[in-house]
Amino acid sequence: MGTRARVRAPELIGKGGWLNTGGKELTLADLRGKCVVVDFWTFCCVNCLHVLDELRELEEKHRDTVVIIGVHSPKFVHEAEHQAVVDAVERYEVHHPVLDDPELATWKQYAVRAWPTLVVIDPEGYIVAQHAGEGHAHAIEKLVEELETEHGAKGTLRRGDGPYVAPEPVATHLRFPGKALLLPDGGFLVSDTTRHRLVEIERDGETVRRHVGTGDRGFTGGGPDEVRFSEPQGLAVLPDGRIAIADTVNHAIRALDPTTGVTTTLAGTGRQWWQGSPTTGPAREVDLSSPWDVAWFADRLWIAMAGVHQLWTYDPATGTVRVAAGTTNEGLVDGPADEAWFAQPSGLATSADGERLWVADSETSALRYVERDGTGFVVRTAVGTGLFDFGHRDGGAEQALFQHPLGVTALPDGSVAVCDTYNHALRRYDPVSAEVTTLATDLREPSDAVLADGDLVVVESARHRLTRLRLPEEAVRVVGQAHHTRRAATEIAPGTLRLDVVFQAPAGQKLDTRYGPSTRLLVSSTPPELLAEGSGPGTDLFRDLVLADGVAEGVLHVSAMAASCDDDPANEYPACHVHQQDWGVPVRVTAEGTPRLPLVLAGMDEQA
């Protein structure tokens, strides 16, 4: 076992206090003797949700030696509200202690730069590894096994139950529902996301007809009492009458036959898509990534593939799926569909005339749309400016603001209602006047809405109910506020900036170079004028960036990927793992700034 860098872990502090501990305030001293994995997350971030799922197996397998601590570090203003964090911990079934850190105090102490970031602390209280992004569960498990052996021999490992205390369950008909669909008889089908099922409800929006799904997380088909989902979200009717379901955490599209009650799988394998995987082919042979919503548009089922910042389509005639829009880069870039950038698209709706597909692009707090452009499709933005600007402001589209919208509903007059989730509001965008107005406020995390008898029935996700609203003849106008990301900018020196993505292959693995370079680096900036040289793709995990004169601040967008495989010459088919992360680093150019920007993908920055 090689010598490991050891840095004393800073204390865990957060103004919001602790959740899932039975009211106990935890300190690092309380965790001494355990292998601690600190997960810096925020509940808006789909990559953070992927990591929660990756950690479940580790959490169960090593439950007597490992303690996972979630540190909730907000991006959006709403995420700094304590009750919102409480809701998210239940919504996503987080079964470990969580520190609510609304002021990013612990984030700053640990010098974290991205969501999600995982930090491993050994039983003596020293940081021994840091990982950014997804795909690190295997590496962390190997490290944990090493720490168990090492500290078991030293007598510094303490086995036994951790500090997690489960909260009391709450009885409601729905629990954090995601999306809804109007049924032909006026009833509703609702994705009861946290309880892993669908619920059929009467026209009154309250009376339950039946459940579809056992209520247990899983990936099986069958009748209403047999089928299992994992955090289902979007719903859409297919031309043959079946209902397509975005089975989000199963990375699949399912189909419910309303006549027989039987659910089958249309697309997806149950595995998450990674860079390098196929992006087209037979639907049940291609991996997907956190499909969040579905809608029928242009003779295809369109899929909001939140996990990879793209839109995909499913063609029932051929039984195939393919990428339709987006590059996997996270951001707001318009243009031809194959060049556009999205950021966690989470809501879809087809316009009344069938000419546009509206998209709630949640992480850019934007309303986007797709429309035909000759023989192809083009992506345009109606409202929104980028990853770091959000708020609640009405008026002209060029200055109006949303905050992490999750749902869109096409209205008969050609306008679109937007479930402005983190503003707890229902908004309206009129394409004719290019104006944004507010239809209703005091909705708790609205995530979808459907038209029913001239009214809008809103899914109030954090109130666990459907709420019927009469469309007002005149909308409310909110002057509102503008917000910017809460993260402090990194001060960098003018001239040449050395970008280092730190990656150390996990123990027992090496970079996979059998088919060429096993690493990838993509760099861009907002505004583009920030970089005079250094933007674009490459295969090295380091680069010298030349900053342009006259641009004082901006955001560096860095996307890195590394593939490593088991280092065993006797194994003809070694297991391989992909590690990847996207960073958006706010920067400010100052004479006192750093000439080097390290971003840790996996391992420790030896130059820190």
Side-chain angles (χ1 to χ4, degrees), residues 214-459:
T214 66
D216 297 318
R217 188 189 295 271
F219 188 35
T220 58
D225 299 326
E226 303 168 303
V227 62
R228 292 190 178 192
F229 303 99
S230 189
E231 299 182 29
Q233 288 281 351
L235 307 164
V237 179
L238 296 169
D240 64 5
R242 290 182 299 166
I243 297 170
I245 305 150
D247 195 3
T248 305
V249 179
N250 277 328
H251 310 295
I253 304 298
R254 316 292 290 280
L256 168 66
D257 186 330
T259 305
T260 65
V262 172
T263 298
T264 55
T265 298
L266 282 183
T269 62
R271 298 184 300 270
Q272 183 182 342
W273 185 93
W274 290 97
Q275 290 286 352
S277 300
T279 56
T280 183
R284 294 187 60 182
E285 298 176 16
V286 177
D287 299 340
L288 308 181
S289 182
S290 295
W292 209 275
D293 203 5
V294 283
W296 187 260
F297 171 68
D299 300 319
R300 301 285 188 278
L301 182 73
W302 286 63
I303 305 165
M305 205 71 76
V308 286
H309 318 299
Q310 291 180 314
L311 304 180
W312 287 41
T313 58
Y314 165 74
D315 182 357
T318 60
T320 57
V321 292
R322 64 180 296 273
V323 174
T327 64
T328 76
N329 295 322
E330 184 179 14
L332 193 155
V333 176
D334 289 343
D338 60 352
E339 299 175 11
W341 293 20
F342 294 94
Q344 214 168 297
S346 301
L348 300 176
T350 304
S351 62
D353 61 8
E355 295 299 314
R356 283 183 178 177
L357 179 70
W358 293 102
V359 182
D361 202 28
S362 63
E363 279 293 284
T364 54
S365 297
L367 175 63
R368 319 276 298 274
Y369 61 92
V370 179
E371 62 183 3
R372 294 186 187 276
D373 182 33
T375 58
F377 294 95
V378 65
V379 177
R380 308 189 197 279
T381 298
V383 181
T385 57
L387 282 165
F388 301 101
D389 297 294
F390 52 90
H392 188 164
R393 187 166 63 195
D394 286 338
E398 73 284 350
Q399 55 87 54
L401 295 170
F402 300 123
Q403 186 181 179
H404 199 79
L406 291 178
V408 284
T409 307
L411 301 179
D413 65 357
S415 66
V416 58
V418 179
C419 286
D420 193 5
T421 309
Y422 288 2
N423 280 325
H424 310 300
L426 189 67
R427 314 282 295 283
R428 176 178 177 267
Y429 169 71
D430 182 354
V432 176
S433 65
E435 291 276 319
V436 175
T437 50
T438 297
L439 297 175
T441 57
D442 193 33
L443 299 167
R444 189 69 185 170
E445 292 192 19
S447 54
D448 195 22
V450 294
L451 276 169
D453 300 324
D455 297 336
L456 274 173
V457 176
V458 180
V459 179

Side-chain angles (χ1 to χ4, degrees), residues 454-516:
D455 297 336
L456 274 173
V457 176
V458 180
V459 179
E460 275 198 273
S461 188
R463 284 199 177 114
H464 322 291
R465 71 186 189 192
L466 302 182
T467 299
R468 184 177 288 266
L469 300 175
R470 187 161 300 281
L471 277 171
E473 293 184 9
E474 293 187 10
V476 180
R477 182 158 182 126
V478 176
V479 176
Q481 292 181 312
H483 302 292
H484 196 71
T485 178
R486 301 171 65 86
R487 288 189 292 165
T490 298
E491 295 194 352
I492 57 175
T496 300
L497 175 70
R498 175 69 171 201
L499 172 65
D500 284 325
V501 174
V502 178
F503 177 76
Q504 296 159 3
Q509 294 185 34
K510 65 178 182 179
L511 289 174
D512 177 21
T513 57
R514 291 172 297 167
Y515 308 108

Side-chain angles (χ1 to χ4, degrees), residues 554-576:
V555 178
L556 287 175
H557 303 283
V558 181
S559 177
M561 184 274 288
S564 61
C565 295
D566 292 344
D567 187 9
D568 181 1
N571 186 356
E572 186 178 356
Y573 302 104
C576 296

